[in-house]
Amino acid sequence: MNDPDLLNAASALIARCKAKGEMIATAESCTGGLITGTLTGVDGSSSVVDCGFVTYSNEAKHSLIGVGNDLLADHGAVSEQVARAMCEGALDRAPNATIAVSVTGIAGPGGGTDTKPVGLIHFGCAAKGRETITTHTVFPGDRHTVRKATVIKAFALIEEMLDRKE
């Protein structure tokens, strides 16, 4: 994606990570690799991006990044608990990452329910030596708008983690 807003945000994040010696891993569901793809669209990203896990299915979440089947059954893929397990699992499995961000949600247009509406995205961010952050947001708009907003929010969450002391 050549979206200037996303690429500008990615460039700023990459510069900060380089300055702090941080490496990023991602665990993406509803964005399908868009976070990693946006980061790697920036020159010099190889010094900051370690790897990305696209875990769209529950089976992928379990086998690739270790999200417990019981967690998925009890809370559903779109939950704070799964977002936490995704980022912590990605950080654990990434060979060089010091920070991992995760997103899981319902980008739409279908798939929403009364308790989990379209636009609901759960985020997680884990980092070596720091407490994991989780949050969620319900973004308005169509699938493209929700996915773009999710990438921007994921970058902001990584920025927040960068500001935390080890």
Side-chain angles (χ1 to χ4, degrees), residues 16-166:
R16 279 204 69 204
C17 286
K18 274 185 191 177
K20 291 184 166 275
E22 302 274 7
M23 292 281 292
I24 299 170
T26 64
E28 302 181 61
S29 185
C30 57
T31 49
L34 187 57
I35 296 169
T36 307
T38 302
L39 288 169
T40 60
V42 175
D43 292 345
S45 60
S46 61
S47 65
V48 169
V49 178
D50 185 32
C51 63
F53 299 92
V54 177
T55 56
Y56 216 66
S57 70
N58 286 352
E59 293 81 6
K61 287 174 183 67
H62 175 71
S63 66
L64 295 177
I65 53 176
V67 176
N69 284 325
D70 55 339
L71 210 58
L72 290 160
D74 291 348
H75 302 283
V78 180
S79 65
E80 175 188 357
Q81 296 86 347
V82 169
R84 176 183 297 276
M86 286 173 67
C87 65
E88 290 174 351
L91 185 62
D92 186 52
R93 285 162 175 76
N96 301 304
T98 57
I99 293 178
V101 69
S102 65
V103 295
T104 183
I106 304 165
T113 66
D114 288 342
T115 56
K116 294 183 180 183
V118 169
L120 173 63
I121 311 296
H122 284 274
F123 298 83
C125 191
K128 301 228 184 247
R130 289 161 269 183
E131 188 174 327
T132 298
I133 302 168
T134 59
T135 190
H136 70 277
T137 304
V138 178
F139 294 111
D142 63 12
R143 183 176 184 82
H144 173 77
T145 303
V146 168
R147 286 168 40 107
K148 178 179 175 179
T150 300
V151 173
I152 297 284
K153 176 75 172 179
F155 289 170
L157 202 58
I158 296 169
E159 293 270 3
E160 182 181 334
M161 187 60 83
L162 291 173
D163 291 336
R164 292 189 172 199
K165 301 273 191 251
E166 286 191 48

Side-chain angles (χ1 to χ4, degrees), residues 1-12:
M1 176 179 271
N2 291 326
D3 185 299
D5 295 334
L6 291 179
L7 291 174
N8 287 338
S11 293

